Amino acid sequence: MNDSKNQSVDRFTAVGFLWRFLAALALVLITFNPSGHSAYHWIVHAIGASTFGPIHAVVLMLLVIGWAIFWIATWRALDTFGVVLAMVALATIVWLLVDFGVLSAHSVSSVTWIALVCIAVVLAIGLSWAHIWRRTTGQQTVDDTDD
């Protein structure tokens, strides 16, 4: 590969993290959200009405593939300890924001929205971790090396 292509791939920016977060958030909220407009609600309704068909199966498989890609990347990057640590860190930040009155956690719906955004943040961190690690330590992860 040429050096300019390696540089563009290796660069990590806030915009790059934002794109990863938006992709993770889309996956999470398309799968389920408390508004009632999600793949979960659509598929459950189709099953209940006995109208489950191939389009439902295709959407379900695309979601499963998306979740597999995001979770495998996150788990490989952060491992169990890192995922738990990220969730604990986010939980304390949410607690602080609720305590300051920035977030409201007085209903199941609001807590669900907060939890869904936190899941998307953890997925975005997992997708970005190799870049973050390389930028903060100068070390490449094993998965980043070329054979």
Side-chain angles (χ1 to χ4, degrees):
M1 280 191 196
N2 65 32
D3 289 335
S4 64
K5 187 170 183 179
N6 282 340
Q7 272 185 330
S8 66
V9 171
D10 288 344
R11 273 191 340 156
F12 178 70
T13 63
V15 173
F17 181 80
L18 180 64
W19 279 113
R20 288 174 180 90
F21 169 70
L22 291 175
L25 188 63
L27 178 66
V28 169
L29 296 181
I30 288 169
T31 302
F32 177 81
N33 66 69
S35 74
H37 300 348
S38 68
Y40 168 80
H41 293 96
W42 179 58
I43 291 169
V44 166
H45 176 73
I47 291 170
S50 296
T51 58
F52 185 87
I55 189 70
H56 298 93
V58 168
V59 169
L60 182 60
M61 287 313 306
L62 289 173
L63 287 172
V64 168
I65 291 167
W67 277 101
I69 291 168
F70 278 61
W71 269 120
I72 289 169
T74 298
W75 220 267
R76 284 187 178 170
L78 301 178
D79 206 15
T80 304
F81 181 70
V83 171
V84 170
L85 194 59
M87 291 302 270
V88 169
L90 286 171
T92 57
I93 291 168
V94 166
W95 182 15
L96 180 68
L97 294 175
V98 168
D99 195 49
F100 284 164
V102 175
L103 292 177
S104 172
H106 296 295
S107 70
V108 172
S109 178
S110 63
V111 171
T112 303
W113 282 108
I114 292 168
L116 293 172
V117 170
C118 287
I119 290 169
V121 170
V122 170
L123 291 174
I125 291 169
L127 291 174
S128 304
W129 189 249
H131 295 288
I132 295 167
W133 182 260
R134 184 173 41 252
R135 190 159 207 191
T136 57
T137 67
Q139 299 174 351
Q140 286 191 329
T141 59
V142 174
D143 291 335
D144 288 342
T145 59
D146 293 328
D147 290 335

